[in-house]
Amino acid sequence: MQLTKPQQTILDSPARFKVVAAGRRMGKTYASIASLAYHARQPNSKCMYVAPSYRMSKQIVWEDLKELLRNVNWLKKVNESELTCTLVNNSIIMLRSADNADSIRGIGVDYVVIDEAADISEEAWTAVIRPTLSDRQGHALIIGSPKGRNWFFDLYSNAKQLKDWESWQFTTAEGGNVQPEEIEAAKQDMDERTFQQEYLAQFVTYSGIIYYAFGDHNIKT
């Protein structure tokens, strides 16, 4: 599979825990699918993709994941009701949702992707998802677009100092999937902080949200 430079950077890192702040349309979904396939190449592996909801989990990656696995002749069996793929090497890739903790508890996995991490609660990571990695010493990719400075921001920041952790910030432009003129058009249509968050993957704060779009440039005395 052909990867962009940011996607390849993520996959090439030897870090056990990877945190990625990504601009919209950066290519994080394909990076997630590629990383699931990469870890599932090991026989008898268990890999899990987690989105904020069941609907998102199915809509974001399910069809693309199956297509990729079919194209490389890795797919052995598909369970549509459980959103689970069994590979020819007996590895399993399963899709789950963070809003249904019971579907995750008790599972032991070798690898997990948490997509749109800013929309998932910190407790879902610490109390439900993180323990699934313990007995197998599994790895994790925690990826998403920023939404203020919540636990995802803390994880991104702490990853720069912690052993076995690494974090990156990739803009929409760096992903190479959106034309420069479209990004410039979006910049003209948005206020500065929204553009910084959605396209530059910046962790901006919206405290005093009613006033955040105002400054010296538009205040007359």
Side-chain angles (χ1 to χ4, degrees), residues 42-57:
Q42 298 294 338
N44 303 305
S45 296
K46 289 186 178 180
C47 302
M48 180 168 62
Y49 171 91
V50 181
S53 68
Y54 174 86
R55 183 176 181 180
M56 289 180 65
S57 186

Side-chain angles (χ1 to χ4, degrees), residues 80-100:
E80 293 286 347
S81 62
E82 295 185 1
L83 300 185
T84 299
C85 292
T86 302
L87 280 54
V88 294
N89 65 355
N90 292 320
S91 289
I92 294 174
I93 300 177
M94 63 191 83
L95 276 58
R96 297 292 185 267
S97 64
D99 62 359
N100 182 12

Side-chain angles (χ1 to χ4, degrees), residues 34-178:
S35 69
L36 286 164
Y38 176 81
H39 284 270
R41 80 191 192 285
Q42 298 294 338
N44 303 305
S45 296
K46 289 186 178 180
C47 302
M48 180 168 62
Y49 171 91
V50 181
S53 68
Y54 174 86
R55 183 176 181 180
M56 289 180 65
S57 186
K58 186 173 183 178
Q59 289 183 337
I60 293 173
V61 304
W62 184 234
E63 295 301 327
D64 289 337
L65 174 64
K66 290 186 295 182
E67 181 180 3
L68 171 64
L69 296 175
R70 286 193 181 104
N71 288 342
V72 294
N73 295 317
W74 284 12
L75 193 57
K76 178 180 180 181
K77 183 173 63 175
V78 174
N79 189 317
E80 293 286 347
S81 62
E82 295 185 1
L83 300 185
T84 299
C85 292
T86 302
L87 280 54
V88 294
N89 65 355
N90 292 320
S91 289
I92 294 174
I93 300 177
M94 63 191 83
L95 276 58
R96 297 292 185 267
S97 64
D99 62 359
N100 182 12
D102 289 339
S103 70
I104 300 174
R105 293 183 189 276
I107 297 176
V109 298
D110 299 284
Y111 184 67
V112 64
V113 173
I114 303 176
D115 200 359
E116 295 301 349
D119 291 322
I120 291 175
S121 70
E122 182 176 8
E123 183 180 3
W125 161 246
T126 57
V128 181
I129 302 172
R130 176 60 180 88
T132 67
L133 303 170
S134 294
D135 60 335
R136 293 172 176 257
Q137 294 185 312
H139 293 228
L141 170 62
I142 304 164
I143 191 169
S145 298
K147 287 196 174 179
R149 297 193 172 185
N150 55 11
W151 77 277
F152 181 47
F153 168 74
D154 293 337
L155 213 61
Y156 167 86
S157 301
N158 292 338
K160 297 189 176 300
Q161 286 81 40
L162 296 173
K163 182 181 178 181
D164 290 335
W165 287 73
E166 191 168 4
S167 64
W168 303 267
Q169 217 163 11
F170 294 119
T171 67
T172 298
E174 288 173 317
N177 298 312
V178 181

